[in-house]
């Protein structure tokens, strides 16, 4: 049985009422913070991947196509460790609430996520309604782009330890069988551009222009497409919630919007209650 939710703060309810009176889908935009309660460190927190896993590198130096080309083994070892960490994590209450919300709202629901951990899909959200704008570590593709095909990350890497170097077998498993180039993780790197085919750029902007409510969860605002999405929604004056324990440029936008509210707290605490309120009159 699902426990009853505590009542929402009136300022949050007011935003949800404003959304109710408008047209368009409900859009959730998620970042690393929604997976923090699954045990995956955020990027810019004290235990972030960059500091822990990358020794002397800044994220912008390491997570690039050019770094991959100059030291593919090191970059792969780092991504394999991240992949193994995501594999050992499980969806939390916030992920599960968004899966349930999609079931209830159907095509009135959309999820735009920066997370490459795959936890939204594992929680049950559909690939069709989940725009993974930075890719997904569960997938690999040819680094030389001899084909656009995406394939599953080989199962054998699910337990890769931090700092373990690639051996010959691993290199073999990470070689494109068509052209002999390296495979690469299916993620957007800092020296690459968003596009529609792989990263749903236009689709994300289209839902920003049409949504009746944007709920931003657990993202610091360090990348460009999420910022464009939020700015578009803010400029339209559409209903806007931000759930995060820390203030950010997104929370500033929510505070400046008459139909906005900054919900200062953890995703696991607030997302289930917001999802419940959004679907209270819908059949499960
Ligand atoms: P960040 O690490 O930059 O931000 C995480 C946000 O989550 C911060 O605002 C935290 O305050 C918040 N947070 C922490 N715990 C939370 C919790 N329990 N509930 C809700 N929020 C919580 O991560 P992102 O903004 O997702 O890009 O990072 C954006 C992008 O930068 C990533 O997708 C990645 C990275 O470089 C690429 O790889 C291209």
């Amino acid at each position: 049985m699902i426990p009853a939710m505590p009542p929402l703060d009136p300022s949050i309810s007011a935003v949800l009422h404003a959304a109710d009176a408008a047209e368009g889908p409900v859009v959730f935009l998620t970042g690393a913070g929604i997976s923090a309660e699954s045990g995956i460190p955020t990027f810019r927190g004290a235990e972030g991947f960059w500091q822990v896993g990358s020794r002397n590198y800044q994220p912008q130096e390491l997570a690039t196509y050019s770094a991959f080309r100059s030291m593919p083994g090191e970059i792969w070892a780092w991504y394999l460790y991240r992949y193994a960490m995501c594999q050992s994590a499980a969806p939390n209450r916030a992920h599960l609430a968004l899966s349930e919300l999609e079931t209830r709202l159907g095509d009135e629901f959309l999820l735009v996520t920066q997370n490459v951990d795959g936890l939204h899909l594992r929680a049950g959200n559909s690939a069709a309604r989940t725009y993974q704008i930075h890719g997904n570590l569960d997938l690999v593709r040819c680094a030389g782009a001899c084909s656009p095909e995406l394939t599953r990350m080989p199962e054998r890497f699910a337990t890769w330890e931090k700092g373990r170097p690639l051996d010959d077998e691993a290199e073999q498993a990470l070689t494109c069988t068509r052209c002999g180039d390296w495979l690469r993780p299916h993620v957007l790197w800092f020296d690459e551009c968003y596009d529609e085919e792989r990263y749903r750029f236009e689709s994300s902007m289209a839902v920003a222009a049409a949504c009746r409510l944007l709920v931003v969860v657990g993202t610091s605002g360090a990348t460009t497409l999420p910022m464009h999405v939020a700015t578009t929604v803010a400029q339209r004056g559409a209903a806007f919630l931000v759930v995060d324990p820390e203030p950010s440029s997104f929370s500033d936008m929510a505070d400046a919007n008459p139909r906005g509210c900054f919900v200062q707290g953890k995703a696991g605490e607030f997302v289930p209650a917001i999802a419940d309120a959004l679907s209270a009159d819908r059949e499960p």
Side-chain angles (χ1 to χ4, degrees):
M1 191 160 79
I2 301 170
M5 297 287 167
L8 283 173
D9 186 275
S11 52
I12 305 174
S13 300
V15 174
L16 298 179
H17 279 128
D20 228 16
E23 299 281 317
V26 167
V27 177
F28 277 73
L29 167 62
T30 64
I34 198 167
S35 296
E37 289 158 83
S38 292
I40 300 178
T42 61
F43 288 94
R44 290 168 187 84
E47 292 298 311
F49 286 116
W50 314 115
Q51 292 86 33
V52 175
S54 62
R55 301 193 307 260
N56 301 323
Y57 298 103
Q58 295 297 313
Q60 284 82 347
E61 292 173 308
L62 198 64
T64 64
Y65 183 75
S66 61
F68 176 74
R69 279 308 188 189
S70 64
M71 41 181 180
E74 283 189 47
I75 301 296
W76 253 127
W78 184 69
Y79 272 102
L80 292 177
Y81 161 60
R82 286 186 60 179
Y83 170 68
M85 177 184 278
C86 296
Q87 286 300 298
S88 67
N92 63 48
R93 298 177 69 211
H95 295 108
L96 296 171
L98 294 187
S99 163
E100 174 69 17
L101 187 61
E102 180 180 340
T103 304
R104 288 176 180 236
L105 295 187
D107 59 11
E108 286 176 60
F109 172 88
L110 254 164
L111 179 54
V112 178
T113 186
Q114 297 168 81
N115 298 342
V116 298
D117 56 32
L119 288 179
H120 284 302
L121 298 185
R122 279 164 58 196
N125 283 110
S126 70
R129 308 207 72 73
T130 304
Y131 299 164
Q132 299 181 108
I133 61 171
H134 292 167
N136 184 330
L137 270 181
D138 292 341
L139 301 170
V140 296
R141 64 182 206 252
C142 176
C146 77
S147 147
E149 192 189 357
L150 300 174
T151 52
R152 300 292 303 176
M153 180 79 83
E155 192 70 26
R156 65 203 299 281
F157 296 125
T159 54
W160 199 263
E161 302 94 18
K162 184 176 158 196
R164 178 175 163 192
L166 259 61
D167 53 24
D168 289 348
E169 265 181 58
E171 281 195 23
Q172 185 67 33
L174 295 171
T175 299
C176 176
T177 52
R178 278 179 300 262
C179 72
D181 199 346
W182 282 95
L183 296 173
R184 58 168 283 175
H186 174 53
V187 298
L188 179 70
W189 281 324
F190 280 99
D191 52 355
E192 299 180 311
C193 294
Y194 289 104
D195 64 19
E196 175 62 18
E197 184 196 358
R198 296 185 181 117
Y199 303 114
R200 309 303 302 265
F201 177 82
E202 276 90 5
S203 297
S204 300
M205 289 308 295
V207 295
C211 66
R212 68 173 186 264
L213 168 69
L214 177 69
V215 186
V216 178
V217 185
T219 173
S220 66
T223 49
T224 55
L225 179 52
M227 211 30 100
H228 286 318
V229 167
T231 306
T232 301
V233 174
Q235 283 169 349
R236 290 175 47 229
F240 194 124
L241 289 175
V242 174
V243 180
D244 201 301
E246 303 293 335
S248 66
S249 23
F250 293 117
S251 66
D252 292 345
M253 280 187 223
D255 283 339
N257 182 342
R259 294 194 187 85
C261 179
F262 172 36
V263 183
Q264 190 155 19
K266 293 186 174 181
E269 188 184 345
F270 285 101
V271 171
I274 291 168
D276 202 51
L278 281 167
S279 60
D281 57 346
R282 307 295 177 103
E283 287 298 314

